[in-house]
Each structure stands twice: as structure tokens, then as C-alpha cells.
Amino acid sequence: MTADVKIEPSWKNRLKDEFEKPYFQSLIDFVRAEYKSATVYPPGKEIFHAFDACQFDDVKVVILGQDPYHGPGQANGLCFSVRDGVRMPPSLVNIFKEIQSDLGKPIPSSGDLERWAKQGVLLLNATLTVRASSPGSHQNKGWETFTDEAVRKISQEKEHVVFLLWGAYAQKKGELIDRNKHYVLMSAHPSPFSADRGFFGNRHFSKANAYLREHGLKEFYWLCL
């Protein structure tokens, strides 16, 4: 089964033991059956896009999402991101609004966050697949165990990573992070249902850059123009 998991080598090295565990075998069986019998997002080749776009050694910031987007053409394997030409979902619009407020940068026309990934932002959903029009449909099938291990590896093996945990679901993974080595920022989720309750005004983007500068690391250009 390990050979069937197409994932970037630096991550495959660290997560290979997971691929042999019973829960992952069951997860793969479930996901394969779902792709055969229903419309599932993202496309199969992009399930591990977050890992492929940001190698382990390059990770400087982690943003944790919940599920992939469940509408047609939206999910591309990076949390909160959509392809060029796809209308930006409200949560992503609110992220850009906070960047505009925090850093004074204009809201971009593109919602593709791959440029963030290439700078070292791991854009990781807790659950890597979802059935169309059915949010949460692939939760509690094993993905959370797998992504927990990815977060644990970052916490254990790296230093001075910034974790942006928005909303209660992402904040559950905060228990896996060594806060003596890393910088954890938490707030409400950018969803329209909660953004006014603490996401807007959290200034996470300038705080992340300040922390990176403080530790001699390159700050981020937080836009995709």
C-alpha cells in the first residue's frame, strides 16, 4: 500500500509508518469507494497537495483548516485556497480583508494560495477529502489521525514554526504543539458566521512576520496577486 501513496518524499519519509497502520488501510478503502460511487473533492491527484506544495524542511507557517471546499471546482488540496478563476468563498474573502486591515495590502484577484505554500506555508485541512455538497462527510474516518501525526512531526522535529489556528476545530490540534519551541496564534474562524467574533482584528499576519523576523527567518508576502 505504501507505494500507492503519492506524496512528496520528505513527508513520505516521516509519515511512512502511518501508511502501514490498520486505520490508514481502512481509510484508503473508504476513500477509494467514495471516489468510485460519489463525487468527491478535491480531485484524487490533489489529495496530498498541501504536502506536495510545501516540503517538510520548508515549513515555516502552518494554517489548519477543517474540510476541503465541497462545491464544484473549488477544492484544490490547500486549505482555504481555490484555483484562479474560481469565485472566492466567504472565508477566503475574510482572510484577505484581515490582511488588508493588518498589513495595508490590497485584496488580490486570485484566491490560489499556492504562492503561500511555495514560501513555506503548510495549508493543511484536518480532513483531506469530502463528498460533494456534504461538509463533514469524511470526518472521523482516519484523516484526523493522519494529519495529527503530520502536526506532531513538525512540532517535534522543527523549531520556530508559526501555527495559525482559526476556530475550535483547528484549535484541537494545538494540544499537539510544543509551545516552548513554536508560536501558536488562535482566534475565531474566518467564516462569516464567526469572523466578527475575533477573527477580524486578530493581526495574525503581522504577528507571524514579527516572530519570523525575531528568529532570523524571512517574513512572508501574504498576497497572491
Side-chain angles (χ1 to χ4, degrees):
M1 178 64 69
T2 303
D4 293 337
V5 179
K6 305 279 196 295
I7 188 171
E8 194 279 326
S10 69
W11 284 105
K12 190 165 191 173
N13 248 352
R14 288 169 172 85
L15 298 173
K16 60 187 176 185
D17 289 348
E18 299 303 296
F19 304 145
E20 303 298 338
K21 292 180 179 178
Y23 88 85
F24 197 84
Q25 303 287 328
S26 298
L27 171 63
I28 292 300
D29 290 344
F30 167 77
V31 170
R32 284 177 173 163
E34 284 284 282
Y35 272 92
K36 286 179 181 176
S37 63
T39 300
V40 176
Y41 301 122
K45 64 182 180 180
E46 294 182 333
I47 291 173
F48 297 107
H49 189 189
F51 299 101
D52 296 336
C54 185
Q55 297 180 21
F56 184 88
D57 290 343
D58 295 336
V59 174
K60 297 179 183 68
V61 175
V62 178
I63 298 178
L64 291 172
Q66 187 165 338
D67 281 328
Y69 293 126
H70 54 85
Q74 291 181 311
N76 67 359
L78 305 177
C79 72
F80 296 109
S81 174
V82 292
R83 299 184 186 288
D84 280 340
V86 175
R87 184 178 179 182
M88 288 189 230
S91 291
L92 181 56
V93 171
N94 286 340
I95 290 169
F96 285 140
K97 284 180 178 177
E98 177 57 23
I99 291 173
Q100 182 181 46
S101 171
D102 187 13
L103 301 176
K105 296 181 182 291
I107 292 176
S109 57
S110 167
D112 190 344
L113 303 183
E114 178 130 9
R115 290 190 183 94
W116 289 7
K118 295 301 184 187
Q119 290 185 80
V121 183
L122 180 67
L123 295 157
L124 183 64
N125 279 312
T127 302
L128 299 188
T129 55
V130 69
R131 192 183 294 189
S133 304
S134 186
S137 51
H138 287 190
Q139 290 176 8
N140 302 314
K141 301 295 183 182
W143 279 131
E144 294 91 344
T145 303
F146 178 74
T147 54
D148 277 358
E149 185 59 21
V151 172
R152 194 177 287 112
K153 291 290 188 188
I154 294 169
S155 178
Q156 290 172 348
E157 297 187 28
K158 297 181 72 71
E159 290 184 340
H160 308 316
V161 174
V162 180
F163 290 83
L164 305 184
L165 308 183
W166 300 330
Y169 198 87
Q171 288 164 18
K172 288 178 184 175
K173 286 199 188 309
E175 299 167 6
L176 306 170
I177 302 163
D178 182 347
R179 296 173 192 232
N180 294 315
K181 295 168 59 182
H182 305 289
Y183 188 37
V184 178
L185 292 167
M186 300 192 296
S187 79
H189 193 276
S191 158
F193 301 107
S194 56
D196 287 326
R197 299 201 297 270
F199 179 78
F200 288 137
N202 67 19
R203 304 198 63 207
H204 279 185
F205 304 97
S206 61
K207 289 176 181 177
N209 276 352
Y211 177 84
L212 293 170
R213 284 196 307 271
E214 181 185 332
H215 290 89
L217 300 167
K218 187 176 179 181
E219 63 184 76
F220 285 96
Y221 183 66
W222 285 108
L223 288 186
C224 308
L225 299 174

